[in-house]
Amino acid sequence: MDTAITTTEADLQRLLTWLSPAYPVGAYTYSHGLEMAVEAGAVRNRADLRAYIETVLEAGAGRIDAALLASAFRAALADDGAALDEVAALAAAWRGTAETALETMAQGSAFLKVTNAAWPKPRLVAFAARHAGVLAHPVAFGAAAAWQGLPLPMALFGFLSAFAANLVSAGVRLVPLGQTDGQIATAGLLPALQAATAAGMAADLDRIGTSAPMLDLFSLRHETQYTRLFRS
C-alpha cells in the first residue's frame, strides 16, 4: 500500500516545473517513432495521432515506463538502494531500439543534472553518481519524486501526461495539425492516461511486457529516414 502524502503548494510548483516543456530535458527533440509513422502514412490526421499515442501508453513504452517509475518511487521511498539499482538496470535494458534508448537515457541524465542543481537531495545526488549517464527518465523521475515527498499517483499521472503532450506537440508539427486539433487530441487522451496510470501502479515488473511491434519498427526505420527533424 502506498503511503498518503499531503501535497503543498511548494510540492505542486516543483512537480509542474519538472513536467513543463520548459524544463531542460530536451523532450521536444524526440518523436518516439512518430516522425517515421507520418512519413509512412500511418498517421495522417488527429484521430490517427490519438490512436498512435494511445498505443504507446497502453502497449508500448508508456506501459513499461509507468511500471518502472512506480517501482523506482517505492524503492526510493523505502530507502532500498539494492532494489532501486535493480530497477535502474532493468530500465537500461528494456528498450527495443537504439533511438528509444537514447530518448530515455538522455532525458534521464538531463533531468538529474538540473534537478540536482535546483532541488538538491543527497540521496538523489548519490543515486545519479552510481549510474552516471545511464539512468532512464522514469526511474530518475520516480526516485526524485519519492525523495522530494511527492505523491506517487500524481507524479505518475503527470509524467505520462507530459510524455503524451510531447508526442501531441510533435504530431502537430509533423502531420501537420492545427494547435486546436492538438488540444482536442490531448483532451481525448484522458481515459488512456488514467488507465496507464492505474496499470503502472498495479504492475509487477516480473510479469510485464509490451505488444506493439509496429512502434519498434517505426523507430528502427527512423534511424535511416532520409529527412529527420527529431532524434527518435
Side-chain angles (χ1 to χ4, degrees):
M1 181 178 294
D2 297 300
T3 303
I5 301 175
T6 302
T7 306
T8 66
E9 289 179 347
D11 295 332
L12 184 58
Q13 186 260 358
R14 188 180 307 118
L15 182 59
L16 291 175
T17 301
W18 291 358
L19 298 171
S20 168
Y23 207 61
V25 298
Y28 68 93
T29 63
Y30 301 98
S31 82
H32 203 75
L34 181 59
E35 186 167 23
M36 186 66 239
V38 172
E39 174 79 10
V43 175
R44 296 169 293 179
N45 51 46
R46 186 179 75 209
D48 291 344
L49 176 62
R50 176 178 164 181
Y52 187 93
I53 299 171
E54 286 174 341
T55 302
V56 173
L57 291 171
E58 294 169 4
R63 170 83 165 145
I64 299 301
D65 285 354
L68 292 168
L69 191 156
S71 296
F73 183 102
R74 290 169 178 143
L77 195 64
D79 205 18
D80 188 339
L84 186 55
D85 287 345
E86 287 182 8
V87 176
L90 182 60
W94 213 335
R95 300 295 148 181
T97 69
E99 287 194 351
T100 52
L102 170 67
E103 180 178 290
T104 193
M105 294 302 174
Q107 290 186 73
S109 295
F111 174 83
L112 286 170
K113 181 178 180 180
V114 66
T115 303
N116 279 330
W119 290 278
K121 290 286 183 180
R123 287 178 293 183
L124 187 62
V125 172
F127 182 46
R130 290 204 306 274
H131 300 274
V134 288
L135 269 176
H137 193 195
V139 175
F141 192 97
W147 285 326
Q148 292 284 348
L150 301 175
L152 174 55
M154 182 181 295
L156 178 52
F157 182 83
F159 180 89
L160 292 173
S161 296
F163 176 50
N166 184 66
L167 293 185
V168 170
S169 177
V172 166
R173 286 172 278 169
L174 289 166
V175 173
L177 298 171
Q179 293 294 336
T180 299
D181 271 334
Q183 293 308 308
I184 292 172
T186 298
L189 288 170
L190 178 59
L193 288 166
Q194 291 171 322
T197 300
M201 294 284 292
D204 178 354
L205 288 184
D206 290 332
R207 303 182 64 181
I208 197 170
T210 58
S211 57
M214 280 305 300
L215 295 178
D216 287 338
L217 279 174
F218 285 136
S219 179
L220 287 168
R221 291 175 61 190
H222 185 265
E223 294 177 8
T224 56
Q225 188 171 339
Y226 182 72
T227 301
R228 296 187 296 173
L229 299 176
F230 294 86
R231 299 182 74 188
S232 73

